PDB file of all heavy atoms in Angstrom:
ATOM      1  N   ALA L 171      -3.359  11.833  31.427  1.00  0.00           N
ATOM      2  CA  ALA L 171      -3.988  11.371  30.189  1.00  0.00           C
ATOM      3  C   ALA L 171      -5.444  10.971  30.393  1.00  0.00           C
ATOM      4  O   ALA L 171      -5.790  10.331  31.385  1.00  0.00           O
ATOM      5  CB  ALA L 171      -3.196  10.198  29.616  1.00  0.00           C
ATOM      6  N   ASN L 172      -6.280  11.328  29.439  1.00  0.00           N
ATOM      7  CA  ASN L 172      -7.667  10.877  29.347  1.00  0.00           C
ATOM      8  C   ASN L 172      -7.807  10.240  27.966  1.00  0.00           C
ATOM      9  O   ASN L 172      -8.146  10.923  26.991  1.00  0.00           O
ATOM     10  CB  ASN L 172      -8.625  12.059  29.513  1.00  0.00           C
ATOM     11  CG  ASN L 172     -10.072  11.645  29.474  1.00  0.00           C
ATOM     12  OD1 ASN L 172     -10.423  10.567  28.971  1.00  0.00           O
ATOM     13  ND2 ASN L 172     -10.952  12.494  29.990  1.00  0.00           N
ATOM     14  N   PRO L 173      -7.484   8.941  27.829  1.00  0.00           N
ATOM     15  CA  PRO L 173      -7.417   8.288  26.518  1.00  0.00           C
ATOM     16  C   PRO L 173      -8.649   8.482  25.650  1.00  0.00           C
ATOM     17  O   PRO L 173      -8.518   8.723  24.443  1.00  0.00           O
ATOM     18  CB  PRO L 173      -7.195   6.809  26.874  1.00  0.00           C
ATOM     19  CG  PRO L 173      -6.491   6.867  28.189  1.00  0.00           C
ATOM     20  CD  PRO L 173      -7.103   8.022  28.915  1.00  0.00           C
ATOM     21  N   GLU L 174      -9.828   8.372  26.229  1.00  0.00           N
ATOM     22  CA  GLU L 174     -11.046   8.498  25.427  1.00  0.00           C
ATOM     23  C   GLU L 174     -11.186   9.897  24.848  1.00  0.00           C
ATOM     24  O   GLU L 174     -11.566  10.081  23.684  1.00  0.00           O
ATOM     25  CB  GLU L 174     -12.275   8.135  26.276  1.00  0.00           C
ATOM     26  CG  GLU L 174     -12.323   6.681  26.706  1.00  0.00           C
ATOM     27  CD  GLU L 174     -12.208   5.728  25.512  1.00  0.00           C
ATOM     28  OE1 GLU L 174     -12.884   5.970  24.481  1.00  0.00           O
ATOM     29  OE2 GLU L 174     -11.424   4.767  25.592  1.00  0.00           O
ATOM     30  N   LEU L 175     -10.857  10.903  25.652  1.00  0.00           N
ATOM     31  CA  LEU L 175     -10.931  12.284  25.174  1.00  0.00           C
ATOM     32  C   LEU L 175      -9.875  12.529  24.096  1.00  0.00           C
ATOM     33  O   LEU L 175     -10.165  13.161  23.074  1.00  0.00           O
ATOM     34  CB  LEU L 175     -10.730  13.254  26.339  1.00  0.00           C
ATOM     35  CG  LEU L 175     -10.662  14.740  25.961  1.00  0.00           C
ATOM     36  CD1 LEU L 175     -11.945  15.187  25.269  1.00  0.00           C
ATOM     37  CD2 LEU L 175     -10.383  15.605  27.194  1.00  0.00           C
ATOM     38  N   VAL L 176      -8.673  11.999  24.308  1.00  0.00           N
ATOM     39  CA  VAL L 176      -7.599  12.194  23.337  1.00  0.00           C
ATOM     40  C   VAL L 176      -7.972  11.568  21.995  1.00  0.00           C
ATOM     41  O   VAL L 176      -7.796  12.174  20.930  1.00  0.00           O
ATOM     42  CB  VAL L 176      -6.272  11.601  23.853  1.00  0.00           C
ATOM     43  CG1 VAL L 176      -5.191  11.697  22.774  1.00  0.00           C
ATOM     44  CG2 VAL L 176      -5.816  12.333  25.108  1.00  0.00           C
ATOM     45  N   LYS L 177      -8.518  10.351  22.027  1.00  0.00           N
ATOM     46  CA  LYS L 177      -8.931   9.683  20.791  1.00  0.00           C
ATOM     47  C   LYS L 177     -10.028  10.463  20.083  1.00  0.00           C
ATOM     48  O   LYS L 177     -10.036  10.569  18.845  1.00  0.00           O
ATOM     49  CB  LYS L 177      -9.387   8.254  21.098  1.00  0.00           C
ATOM     50  CG  LYS L 177      -8.238   7.294  21.360  1.00  0.00           C
ATOM     51  CD  LYS L 177      -8.694   5.865  21.452  1.00  0.00           C
ATOM     52  CE  LYS L 177      -9.325   5.580  22.795  1.00  0.00           C
ATOM     53  NZ  LYS L 177      -9.617   4.133  22.982  1.00  0.00           N
ATOM     54  N   GLU L 178     -10.935  11.016  20.855  1.00  0.00           N
ATOM     55  CA  GLU L 178     -12.023  11.808  20.267  1.00  0.00           C
ATOM     56  C   GLU L 178     -11.465  13.072  19.601  1.00  0.00           C
ATOM     57  O   GLU L 178     -11.886  13.432  18.497  1.00  0.00           O
ATOM     58  CB  GLU L 178     -13.013  12.191  21.369  1.00  0.00           C
ATOM     59  CG  GLU L 178     -14.199  13.006  20.876  1.00  0.00           C
ATOM     60  CD  GLU L 178     -15.159  13.381  22.000  1.00  0.00           C
ATOM     61  OE1 GLU L 178     -15.185  12.666  23.030  1.00  0.00           O
ATOM     62  OE2 GLU L 178     -15.858  14.396  21.850  1.00  0.00           O
ATOM     63  N   LEU L 179     -10.506  13.728  20.270  1.00  0.00           N
ATOM     64  CA  LEU L 179      -9.915  14.941  19.709  1.00  0.00           C
ATOM     65  C   LEU L 179      -9.102  14.633  18.453  1.00  0.00           C
ATOM     66  O   LEU L 179      -9.169  15.355  17.457  1.00  0.00           O
ATOM     67  CB  LEU L 179      -9.017  15.607  20.753  1.00  0.00           C
ATOM     68  CG  LEU L 179      -9.718  16.230  21.966  1.00  0.00           C
ATOM     69  CD1 LEU L 179      -8.692  16.698  22.999  1.00  0.00           C
ATOM     70  CD2 LEU L 179     -10.584  17.414  21.536  1.00  0.00           C
ATOM     71  N   VAL L 180      -8.334  13.549  18.489  1.00  0.00           N
ATOM     72  CA  VAL L 180      -7.496  13.181  17.350  1.00  0.00           C
ATOM     73  C   VAL L 180      -8.342  12.780  16.149  1.00  0.00           C
ATOM     74  O   VAL L 180      -7.983  13.056  14.992  1.00  0.00           O
ATOM     75  CB  VAL L 180      -6.523  12.048  17.739  1.00  0.00           C
ATOM     76  CG1 VAL L 180      -5.829  11.468  16.516  1.00  0.00           C
ATOM     77  CG2 VAL L 180      -5.488  12.554  18.738  1.00  0.00           C
ATOM     78  N   ALA L 181      -9.482  12.159  16.399  1.00  0.00           N
ATOM     79  CA  ALA L 181     -10.345  11.694  15.312  1.00  0.00           C
ATOM     80  C   ALA L 181     -11.003  12.840  14.547  1.00  0.00           C
ATOM     81  O   ALA L 181     -11.367  12.694  13.374  1.00  0.00           O
ATOM     82  CB  ALA L 181     -11.423  10.763  15.867  1.00  0.00           C
ATOM     83  N   ASP L 182     -11.132  14.007  15.191  1.00  0.00           N
ATOM     84  CA  ASP L 182     -11.757  15.160  14.540  1.00  0.00           C
ATOM     85  C   ASP L 182     -10.688  15.937  13.771  1.00  0.00           C
ATOM     86  O   ASP L 182      -9.914  16.692  14.352  1.00  0.00           O
ATOM     87  CB  ASP L 182     -12.411  16.047  15.592  1.00  0.00           C
ATOM     88  CG  ASP L 182     -13.194  17.199  14.965  1.00  0.00           C
ATOM     89  OD1 ASP L 182     -13.162  17.349  13.717  1.00  0.00           O
ATOM     90  OD2 ASP L 182     -13.833  17.958  15.720  1.00  0.00           O
ATOM     91  N   THR L 183     -10.628  15.748  12.462  1.00  0.00           N
ATOM     92  CA  THR L 183      -9.598  16.401  11.641  1.00  0.00           C
ATOM     93  C   THR L 183     -10.090  17.685  10.978  1.00  0.00           C
ATOM     94  O   THR L 183      -9.450  18.196  10.061  1.00  0.00           O
ATOM     95  CB  THR L 183      -9.084  15.425  10.568  1.00  0.00           C
ATOM     96  OG1 THR L 183     -10.195  14.990   9.762  1.00  0.00           O
ATOM     97  CG2 THR L 183      -8.403  14.225  11.200  1.00  0.00           C
ATOM     98  N   SER L 184     -11.246  18.187  11.430  1.00  0.00           N
ATOM     99  CA  SER L 184     -11.705  19.480  10.921  1.00  0.00           C
ATOM    100  C   SER L 184     -10.801  20.574  11.474  1.00  0.00           C
ATOM    101  O   SER L 184     -10.113  20.371  12.476  1.00  0.00           O
ATOM    102  CB  SER L 184     -13.146  19.732  11.368  1.00  0.00           C
ATOM    103  OG  SER L 184     -13.201  19.913  12.778  1.00  0.00           O
TER     104      SER L 184
END
Side-chain angles (χ1 to χ4, degrees):
N172 182 340
E174 294 306 315
L175 175 60
V176 175
K177 284 189 282 188
E178 181 181 336
L179 291 173
V180 169
D182 185 356
T183 58
S184 68

